[in-house]
Amino acid sequence: MRGNTYRADDLLARLAKAYGWTDKFMEFKTKDAFKQLVEPAMLAAVSRMWVKERVLYLDIPHAAAKSDMQYRLGELKEAINKMLGHPYLQALALK
């Protein structure tokens, strides 16, 4: 065995960290978890969704849907983090 050999999973983990893929992957998983947890009618009310600095931002133009979502933010944050397997998401914010 040579001195510069790596296991494939170790090499991929190093590449992901070096190129910032880990954060992008977690952003994707966070949005996917949100989509799985929210009912279709509420999901349809979300016009835009993005993750920045571990906060999931939701753009909801309809006042009634925004009000309903406001009451569920804490519950959704906990459920998303549970689906992710660790406390990645710090907050959900409505725009």
Side-chain angles (χ1 to χ4, degrees), residues 53-80:
E53 298 176 359
R54 296 185 178 216
V55 176
L56 176 61
Y57 292 92
L58 304 168
D59 189 2
I60 303 176
H62 306 290
K66 188 181 275 190
S67 177
D68 288 345
M69 184 62 77
Q70 184 68 43
Y71 290 108
R72 298 187 58 200
L73 292 179
E75 166 193 330
L76 284 169
K77 181 189 118 182
E78 297 302 321
I80 290 169

Side-chain angles (χ1 to χ4, degrees), residues 7-91:
R7 290 182 33 181
D9 59 345
D10 184 43
L11 184 59
L12 288 174
R14 288 175 183 233
L15 285 170
K17 186 176 180 180
Y19 288 102
W21 297 339
T22 305
D23 290 335
K24 287 294 181 191
F25 182 67
M26 288 306 296
E27 290 172 11
F28 173 78
K29 286 181 71 173
T30 299
K31 291 189 275 187
D32 189 51
F34 175 81
K35 291 175 185 177
Q36 291 178 25
L37 290 168
V38 176
E39 55 276 350
M42 184 59 76
L43 190 57
V46 177
S47 65
R48 207 172 78 148
M49 176 181 0
W50 69 98
V51 178
K52 183 177 180 184
E53 298 176 359
R54 296 185 178 216
V55 176
L56 176 61
Y57 292 92
L58 304 168
D59 189 2
I60 303 176
H62 306 290
K66 188 181 275 190
S67 177
D68 288 345
M69 184 62 77
Q70 184 68 43
Y71 290 108
R72 298 187 58 200
L73 292 179
E75 166 193 330
L76 284 169
K77 181 189 118 182
E78 297 302 321
I80 290 169
N81 280 333
K82 186 175 182 180
M83 286 180 77
L84 296 176
H86 58 85
Y88 170 77
L89 192 62
Q90 293 178 351

